[in-house]
Amino acid sequence: MKHLSYILLLVFLIYGCEQSNDGYEIKNRTKTISKENCQVALSFPEIINLADGEKMAKLNQVLENFPEHEYYARNCGKDNQNKIRGDYQILLQNDSILSIEFRTLIQRANKKVDTVYHTVVVNPNRKSTLDNEISGIEPNGIIPNFKRGMIYPYIEKYSSENENYVNLLAYETGSNYVITWAVSEKDFIIYVGGEDEWFGHNRIKIPINELK
């Protein structure tokens, strides 16, 4: 995940309501991005009622723009053969962790649907020490003494059982490759297939209690 720091973009938001938690809530927003003959309908989360209004605004800019739907709208495919939409799921929401899975669903002309995953994992209430950036949570902030080698066997097993390409080097202890991950109440989730590119194509769920 963008080395768990998110460079911000300027934008405005739209409307709806979803989950709540002490100190802040998540509202559902919707919009359509139009580029030439392509339209991408999407929903995205917006944080409201966070005590730090400046940080809330920066987080919301990230949540609206991080999945890069503008890119997909510009690349729908020849003669607009691909139909694209975006949605998300709140995987975990509490005072110290907000974990979100974004999905870009691309329906090809042959009706096959490809999914591209992006994730954001942040502590909404923690102040960043960097101007104009949002500091995310590292895996070892959730799983004490986390090392990538702990998840390597799970990724290797997946790779051996599926034809989808996975760069296993990214999951070796000491690797500096960017990996896409998220967390739910019970699982540590890895999104494989886009190693070092801030996204993934397939999910692997690993029970957190197996990593502790």
Side-chain angles (χ1 to χ4, degrees):
M1 325 196 21
K2 290 192 176 181
H3 204 238
L4 299 320
S5 310
Y6 308 100
I7 301 203
L8 302 167
L9 311 160
L10 288 169
V11 208
F12 293 100
L13 291 12
I14 323 180
Y15 237 88
C17 190
E18 202 169 276
Q19 301 182 18
S20 64
N21 198 67
D22 292 342
Y24 71 95
E25 297 178 356
I26 301 293
K27 278 196 171 185
N28 182 59
R29 302 303 198 193
T30 60
K31 72 175 184 180
T32 300
I33 298 174
S34 298
K35 298 289 181 182
E36 298 180 356
N37 295 323
C38 182
Q39 292 189 330
V40 177
L42 60 99
S43 58
F44 59 95
E46 181 188 13
I47 299 172
I48 62 171
N49 298 332
L50 194 65
D52 187 333
E54 181 180 1
K55 179 169 185 178
M56 182 172 69
K58 291 178 180 179
L59 277 167
N60 284 332
Q61 289 166 355
V62 170
L63 298 181
E64 182 175 357
N65 292 283
F66 185 68
E68 299 178 333
H69 291 117
E70 291 271 353
Y71 166 82
Y72 294 102
R74 291 193 301 269
N75 295 275
C76 269
K78 186 178 179 181
D79 301 323
N80 193 26
Q81 293 180 1
N82 298 332
K83 295 180 180 178
I84 303 173
R85 63 185 177 88
D87 65 14
Y88 69 94
Q89 180 180 0
I90 304 295
L91 299 175
L92 183 61
Q93 180 187 349
N94 57 41
D95 286 342
S96 59
I97 301 173
L98 178 59
S99 176
I100 306 173
E101 173 190 281
F102 293 91
R103 296 180 294 260
T104 302
L105 301 135
I106 306 169
Q107 182 177 316
R108 307 295 183 184
N110 61 4
K111 303 302 181 183
K112 179 177 181 283
V113 177
D114 293 330
T115 303
V116 180
Y117 296 97
H118 294 81
T119 63
V120 168
V121 184
V122 295
N123 180 341
N125 289 303
R126 185 175 68 191
K127 288 186 177 294
S128 172
T129 58
L130 303 173
D131 292 338
N132 297 323
E133 294 192 356
I134 301 299
S135 294
I137 300 174
E138 298 281 358
N140 58 15
I142 296 170
I143 300 170
N145 303 312
F146 176 88
K147 292 182 176 60
R148 293 195 188 192
M150 296 165 65
I151 62 175
Y152 185 93
Y154 299 90
I155 312 300
E156 185 179 43
K157 182 175 185 294
Y158 170 89
S159 180
S160 67
E161 295 175 349
N162 295 271
E163 295 181 356
N164 304 314
Y165 173 76
V166 177
N167 185 350
L168 291 174
L169 292 174
Y171 303 99
E172 294 181 351
T173 294
S175 170
N176 291 321
Y177 280 85
V178 172
I179 60 173
T180 299
W181 66 279
V183 64
S184 66
E185 187 173 352
K186 295 181 178 179
D187 296 315
F188 185 80
I189 307 166
I190 293 291
Y191 300 82
V192 297
E195 289 75 24
D196 220 28
E197 296 290 343
W198 318 112
F199 66 84
H201 289 292
N202 294 283
R203 278 181 300 205
I204 301 174
K205 292 185 178 182
I206 306 171
I208 290 176
N209 60 13
E210 293 185 12
L211 299 176
K212 291 184 174 180

